[in-house]
Amino acid sequence: MNYLSFIENKIVREKETLIHTLSQWRFKEEKIVFTNGCFDILHRGHIEYLAQAAGLGQKLVIGLNTDASVKRLKGDKRPVNNQEARALLLASLLFTDKIIFFDEDTPLELIRFIQPDILVKGSDYKPEEIVGDDIVKAKGGEIITIDLTPGFSTTSILQKL
């Protein structure tokens, strides 16, 4: 088996190429979980968060900020790892089904397109503050927050360096 190809096939560069996969999942009545982030330096906190998110449904889709989006949100010194490297690391995780890039500052349009059953963010957000909550709730979906792992963040790792 060519594991690298298997991993790379989880990475979606254009949302339109995801339509068929989403349709198959919905036909099988599989719950689609969506979360998003920069995931610049993958660490224990990310793994615990994503594993918990994946456990909420059958399919996990991760919206990944592009390099330009990360730079606008985090500053000129970020990202440390480019979007292709970040996507490959996330795609290599057993519980990740699809990674899709977004260039906007928020994943609103991506959430509108995917129409996930469950929208997940860290508990540092209140559910009503989460971008796309209105879209997911309107279709009967759930907004779930997950506690973050104390002591683990990309910012704190960079400060240690």
Side-chain angles (χ1 to χ4, degrees):
M1 176 176 204
N2 184 337
Y3 286 107
L4 187 56
S5 290
F6 174 76
I7 292 167
E8 288 173 337
N9 284 332
K10 293 182 181 184
I11 302 169
V12 177
R13 284 164 180 76
E14 299 293 328
K15 65 183 182 185
E16 290 72 22
T17 62
L18 194 54
I19 292 172
H20 181 69
T21 301
L22 292 170
S23 295
Q24 284 181 326
W25 292 346
R26 286 196 183 93
F27 178 76
K28 294 176 182 177
E29 297 183 359
E30 294 176 308
K31 280 196 176 192
I32 299 169
V33 178
F34 177 86
T35 193
N36 67 280
C38 300
F39 302 102
D40 194 3
I41 298 176
L42 201 59
H43 55 71
R44 177 183 176 167
H46 289 141
I47 301 301
E48 290 181 5
Y49 169 81
L50 292 170
Q52 288 178 62
L56 298 170
Q58 285 79 43
K59 298 295 178 182
L60 176 64
V61 179
I62 302 172
L64 184 63
N65 292 76
T66 62
D67 292 346
S69 178
V70 174
K71 193 170 290 299
R72 287 192 307 273
L73 294 170
K74 305 284 186 175
D76 287 337
K77 293 185 178 184
R78 301 278 297 276
V80 173
N81 291 300
N82 69 37
Q83 66 194 40
E84 294 300 324
R86 293 182 287 125
L88 191 66
L89 286 170
L90 289 169
S92 71
L93 300 173
L94 173 69
F95 47 74
T96 301
D97 294 290
K98 291 291 178 185
I99 307 291
I100 184 162
F101 297 109
F102 69 99
D103 195 46
E104 301 79 18
D105 292 343
T106 73
L108 182 63
E109 291 306 314
L110 193 51
I111 292 167
R112 187 172 284 130
F113 177 80
I114 293 171
Q115 295 284 314
D117 299 296
I118 301 170
L119 177 58
V120 178
K121 284 300 281 180
S123 62
D124 51 334
Y125 288 88
K126 294 178 183 169
E128 62 275 7
E129 297 173 342
I130 297 172
V131 170
D133 77 315
D134 55 334
I135 294 166
V136 175
K137 286 179 184 173
K139 68 169 284 221
E142 296 178 77
I143 311 301
I144 296 177
T145 59
I146 294 176
D147 289 338
L148 301 178
T149 305
F152 288 90
S153 74
T154 299
T155 302
S156 67
I157 290 170
L158 290 172
Q159 288 172 345
K160 288 178 186 176
L161 298 175

